Each structure stands twice: as structure tokens, then as C-alpha cells.
């Protein structure tokens, strides 16, 4: 196992720092959800990305701080606890098995993540070949699909586009079509498809408990942010809410992997309608991003405080 020690140590340290970021995100969720409100797009995105940021900050600290030179107050007690671990053959075998299982889980997660990203990209290319160009809206290409399925979504990672089925177009008024496209253009401009793919890949690679909830918070916040942008362009949130209710009955039954839908399967339509009706009739809703800077400082401080214990725990796990 000696040759695999560095790999196991890196993987275990990455998991440990990701868990620290996850705990910080859950510590901040009550602040974002206070008063039963949903977090903003930026707040939800930062919470979902905190485990990623914790890994980056933790690795940067480990590389630049000589792993570290100061001793935490509980250092001696920690070593006393580590020394109590039995050193018999059964314990060594259990640690060896855990090491191998950890590396195997990460390799499987990495394979699934890369496969998912490749499938998303190949699906977008196949759609472009099968679709017919319709128009260009705010520098975003819009394509039509000849299918009886009633669909409208944005898809693609590097150069995302919007696809809408001709059958859905035939059932929409010009006003509803403009609202629909404004919502999808907002997804493209925010690079939501790319961030969605990265979050799915990360939480597939690191299946952290509770990570799914952070991801779903971001999905809901992204949909509300795009609804608000469509309402700003339409100058009437009620029209956007009416279009959402009208379209959801037509498109809710279909799902397209790796795409951002105007009305997705299982989406919180009622919550989105309530959020739209709470918007001012003119102008965007005020942004609430004052928690972002303290949250970044908390991330750096939390990872820095936990790093000595994480390093000792990783050393015990790998070297046992």
C-alpha cells in the first residue's frame, strides 16, 4: 500500500476539506432562508460551491504553509487518541480495505462525472445537427425541433443554444413565445448550463450527504432569477406567471438530460409563481448579496482552523 499512500492521502484530504465546506454551507443556509424566503441566485450558487472552494483553499494552504508549523491547542490530546488505536492485523486489514475502497469510489465517481459531461456535450451537438435555425436573440441561437413533444430548453456547455419544438411554437402566442425565450436567454447569459454540469459532476465525484439539497437550492434560485429577468423584459410579472402556468401543463411530462427547461419535471411551479407575483411590476427585485464576502472569509477561516486536525486524521487513515 506504500505506493498508493500519496494518492489516498490526497483523496482523503479532499474529502475532508469538502466536508468542512459542506458544514459551512449548512451553517449559512438558515441565514439565506430566513423569513421563509428563497436564497438569491448568487447566494445559492456560493453555498453549492462551498465544498469546491474548501478543497481549493485547503490545498492552497497545505502547499504554502509547510503543512503547518504551528501546533493547535488539542495537538497532544489528538496524538494520545491516535496512539490508542489498536495495531493488530485485523485493524491494519480494515484500514487497508478502507483505503482501497476510497480510491475505488473516487475512480468510479470520476468515470461517471466525465461520462456525464461527455454525454451532455454530445447530446447538444446532436440536437444542433437535427434542429433548424429559427432566429438569434441577444446573440443566442434559437433552433426549432420537429417533434410532437412540447419542449423548450437551453442546452450546451461551451456555446449553449435554445431549442423549442415546432409543436409548442404553434400553441404559443407571440407574447408567450417572447417570455419563454427571455427566460431561456437568461439561463444562457448566466452560464447556468455550465454551472449545472460542473455541480452535477462534483457531487457525483464527491457524494457528500446533503449535497443534493444544496444543488436543488441552486436550481430553484436559478429558475427564479431567470423568471425575474423575463419579468423585467416583459414589464409585467403576472404575464410571466400566466405563461409559466400555461406552458407547464404542456411540457411537464417531458425531461431532457443536461438541459435547463422553462418548466422542468418536478419543478416547484407554485413557488415560482408566488415569487413572480411578489416582484415589483417595474424593474428588477433588489439583489441580496451582502452575505457573500463574510461567507468567503468564513470559508478561509474554517478551512484554516480545521486543516491541522484534517492532516492528522489523514495521516492516521493512510499510515495507521
Amino acid at each position: 500500500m506504500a505506493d498508493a499512500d500519496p494518492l489516498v492521502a490526497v483523496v482523503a484530504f479532499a474529502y475532508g476539506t469538502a466536508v468542512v465546506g459542506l458544514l459551512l454551507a449548512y451553517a449559512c443556509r438558515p441565514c439565506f432562508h430566513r423569513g421563509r424566503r428563497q436564497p438569491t441566485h448568487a447566494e445559492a450558487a456560493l453555498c453549492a460551491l462551498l465544498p469546491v472552494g474548501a478543497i481549493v483553499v485547503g490545498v492552497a494552504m497545505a502547499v504554502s504553509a509547510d503543512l503547518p508549523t504551528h501546533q493547535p491547542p488539542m495537538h497532544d490530546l489528538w496524538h494520545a487518541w491516535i496512539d490508542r488505536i489498536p495495531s493488530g492485523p485485523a485493524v491494519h486489514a480494515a484500514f487497508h480495505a478502507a483505503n482501497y475502497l476510497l480510491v475505488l469510489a473516487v475512480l468510479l465517481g470520476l468515470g461517471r462525472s466525465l461520462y456525464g459531461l461527455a454525454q451532455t456535450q454530445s447530446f447538444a451537438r446532436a440536437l444542433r445537427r437535427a434542429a433548424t435555425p429559427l432566429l438569434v436573440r441577444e446573440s443566442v441561437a434559437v433552433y426549432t425541433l420537429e417533434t410532437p413533444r412540447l419542449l423548450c430548453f437551453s442546452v450546451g456547455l461551451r456555446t449553449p443554444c435554445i431549442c423549442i419544438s415546432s409543436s409548442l411554437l404553434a400553441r404559443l402566442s407571440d407574447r408567450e413565445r417572447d417570455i419563454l425565450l427571455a427566460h431561456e436567454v437568461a439561463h444562457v447569459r448566466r452560464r447556468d448550463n455550465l454551472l449545472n454540469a460542473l455541480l452535477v459532476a462534483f457531487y457525483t465525484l464527491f457524494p457528500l450527504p446533503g449535497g443534493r439539497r444544496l444543488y436543488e437550492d441552486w436550481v430553484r434560485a436559478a429558475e427564479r432569477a431567470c423568471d425575474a429577468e423575463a419579468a423585467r423584459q416583459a414589464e409585467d410579472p403576472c404575464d410571466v406567471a400566466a405563461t409559466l402556468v400555461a406552458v407547464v401543463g404542456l411540457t411537464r411530462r417531458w425531461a431532457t438530460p443536461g438541459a435547463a427547461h422553462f418548466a422542468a419535471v418536478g419543478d416547484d411551479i407554485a413557488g415560482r409563481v408566488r415569487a413572480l407575483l411578489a416582484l415589483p411590476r417595474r424593474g428588477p427585485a433588489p439583489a441580496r448579496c451582502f452575505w457573500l464576502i463574510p461567507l468567503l472569509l468564513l470559508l478561509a477561516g474554517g478551512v484554516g482552523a480545521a486543516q491541522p486536525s484534517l492532516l492528522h486524521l489523514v495521516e492516521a487513515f493512510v499510515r495507521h
Side-chain angles (χ1 to χ4, degrees):
M1 189 67 187
D3 293 338
D5 282 354
L7 177 60
V8 176
V10 169
V11 171
F13 183 71
Y15 260 105
T17 51
V19 169
V20 172
L22 184 78
L23 294 176
L24 290 173
Y26 269 86
C28 295
R29 280 185 87 246
C31 300
F32 295 147
H33 288 265
R34 70 191 184 284
R36 299 179 66 119
R37 76 164 177 85
Q38 289 292 321
T40 65
H41 182 264
E43 291 168 348
L46 190 57
C47 266
L49 288 169
L50 272 179
V52 185
I55 293 176
V56 175
V57 172
V59 171
M61 287 183 175
V63 169
S64 63
D66 293 328
L67 298 180
T69 56
H70 67 281
Q71 302 294 339
M74 304 296 289
H75 185 264
D76 293 337
L77 292 177
W78 173 265
H79 274 289
W81 180 80
I82 291 296
D83 292 339
R84 291 172 183 262
I85 298 178
S87 57
V91 174
H92 275 283
F95 270 111
H96 277 295
N99 291 171
Y100 283 121
L101 287 175
L102 179 63
V103 174
L104 178 61
V106 168
L107 291 178
L108 290 175
L110 181 61
R112 290 178 59 197
S113 299
L114 294 177
Y115 177 76
L117 291 173
Q119 286 292 99
T120 299
Q121 195 64 10
S122 63
F123 176 70
R125 287 196 297 267
L127 275 181
R128 283 180 182 270
R129 289 193 297 267
T132 303
L134 176 65
L135 55 89
V136 176
R137 177 167 177 147
E138 299 182 36
S139 302
V140 180
V142 181
Y143 295 85
T144 57
L145 296 170
E146 295 298 330
T147 173
R149 295 185 176 187
L150 305 173
L151 300 170
C152 182
F153 53 87
S154 60
V155 68
L157 301 181
R158 290 179 297 178
T159 54
C161 64
I162 298 171
C163 293
I164 184 169
S165 63
S166 56
S167 53
L168 179 59
L169 271 177
R171 300 194 183 196
L172 297 177
S173 66
D174 291 342
R175 175 74 166 170
E176 290 171 334
R177 186 198 68 174
D178 290 341
I179 288 173
L180 205 64
L181 293 181
H183 176 97
E184 297 304 332
V185 166
H187 275 303
V188 173
R189 294 178 62 184
R190 290 172 178 271
R191 309 295 292 180
D192 283 340
N193 285 30
L194 178 60
L195 183 54
N196 178 75
L198 293 177
L199 286 175
V200 170
F202 176 79
Y203 285 110
T204 301
L205 179 59
F206 294 94
L208 303 172
R212 180 72 182 179
R213 180 172 294 183
L214 295 178
Y215 169 74
E216 290 174 350
D217 281 351
W218 172 79
V219 170
R220 285 192 292 269
E223 292 300 332
R224 283 165 171 75
C226 294
D227 287 343
E229 177 60 23
R232 185 189 68 80
Q233 294 191 27
E235 298 185 344
D236 191 349
C238 294
D239 281 358
V240 180
T243 301
L244 178 61
V245 172
V247 172
V248 68
L250 302 173
T251 62
R252 194 184 182 110
R253 70 188 67 180
W254 307 116
T256 308
H261 288 255
F262 179 67
V265 173
D267 197 7
D268 180 22
I269 303 300
R272 287 172 61 185
V273 170
R274 286 194 297 269
L276 279 165
L277 297 180
L279 290 174
R281 293 185 66 87
R282 300 281 179 175
R288 296 180 296 263
C289 298
F290 51 86
W291 286 97
L292 301 188
I293 294 178
L295 193 57
L296 291 173
L297 295 176
L298 182 64
L299 172 64
V303 173
Q307 187 181 13
S309 297
L310 282 175
L311 291 170
H312 283 304
L313 184 61
V314 169
E315 182 182 4
F317 178 72
V318 176
R319 305 295 180 185
H320 42 272

